[in-house]
Amino acid sequence: LMKAAVARGVEPAQIAQHCDSVSLCFSQGLGALSGAVLAGCKAWRVWKLLAGGMRQVGVLVAAAHLRLQRAEVTLRRDHNNAWRFAEGIHVQDSPLWSINLAAVETNIVMVNVQRAWLSPTELCNRLRAISEEEVAETRQAVSFLLLSWSAQTVHTVWHHNISACDTELARRNLKFVARRCQE
């Protein structure tokens, strides 16, 4: 809900007005320790069934409140970092992978892998590994964790702990791996 609201430049209530019930997770995307909110017509009954006995949740509420206050700035930064990464893939114009820039609206980037060169799992493994050659060439050790999403797709997500500098390192790592795969 929050990612969509920030990406569209609207208040969350504008999106939620069309829903009977809304769930908002504070740990995913917002970076709180844990916690979630369930609101709506049927929410009270479900809450009582699943977690109605929770007590002393003030610490969780405080963390969630802090993250909600910073949500727009944090999510906007995450979206911008994801866009910079996607743009880096696009300008590489590599035969190994491609990206649909129009589909990058939030902090999630889906990379299409050309199976003739390598599989999504192989790409994930190469980006996770830190080779001596890479360290010698780039003077930095970067381990980039991705998820093999499907037979031709890799799923990437930016979150509040990934900086613009980290994003640039990921772009460089991808460029290094592309060159090594093509050699």
Side-chain angles (χ1 to χ4, degrees), residues 16-30:
Q17 72 180 340
H18 305 288
C19 304
D20 177 68
S21 298
V22 176
S23 173
L24 178 61
C25 178
F26 296 115
S27 60
Q28 290 186 344
L30 298 181

Side-chain angles (χ1 to χ4, degrees), residues 84-110:
R84 276 195 296 279
F85 178 74
E87 188 178 46
I89 293 172
H90 183 72
V91 298
Q92 276 184 18
D93 197 28
S94 172
L96 300 174
W97 44 69
S98 63
I99 188 135
N100 178 0
L101 281 178
V104 181
E105 298 182 78
T106 63
N107 64 327
I108 298 171
V109 178
M110 303 301 276

Side-chain angles (χ1 to χ4, degrees), residues 29-162:
L30 298 181
L33 299 171
S34 67
V37 170
L38 179 62
C41 298
K42 298 177 185 174
W44 176 257
R45 190 171 140 269
V46 172
W47 176 76
K48 281 302 223 180
L49 288 171
L50 299 176
M54 283 187 73
R55 302 286 184 262
Q56 301 175 346
V57 295
V59 173
L60 296 177
V61 170
H65 180 69
L66 180 64
R67 288 300 182 175
L68 274 174
Q69 288 177 325
R70 299 177 181 171
E72 186 171 351
V73 171
T74 300
L75 292 174
R76 176 102 25 236
R77 186 192 67 223
D78 295 345
H79 295 178
N80 289 339
N81 285 336
W83 174 260
R84 276 195 296 279
F85 178 74
E87 188 178 46
I89 293 172
H90 183 72
V91 298
Q92 276 184 18
D93 197 28
S94 172
L96 300 174
W97 44 69
S98 63
I99 188 135
N100 178 0
L101 281 178
V104 181
E105 298 182 78
T106 63
N107 64 327
I108 298 171
V109 178
M110 303 301 276
V111 181
N112 302 309
V113 180
Q114 303 304 319
R115 289 199 47 89
W117 288 89
L118 71 165
S119 72
T121 301
E122 289 171 314
L123 175 60
C124 292
N125 290 339
R126 287 179 186 237
L127 291 169
R128 187 179 308 116
I130 300 172
S131 71
E132 291 179 22
E133 298 159 301
E134 180 184 4
V135 174
E137 184 177 316
T138 64
R139 296 190 199 108
Q140 294 181 325
V142 178
S143 181
F144 188 25
L145 301 176
L146 302 172
L147 175 65
S148 177
W149 189 256
S150 71
Q152 291 183 293
T153 309
V154 171
H155 182 256
T156 66
V157 178
W158 268 251
H159 58 78
H160 71 283
N161 286 331
I162 301 174

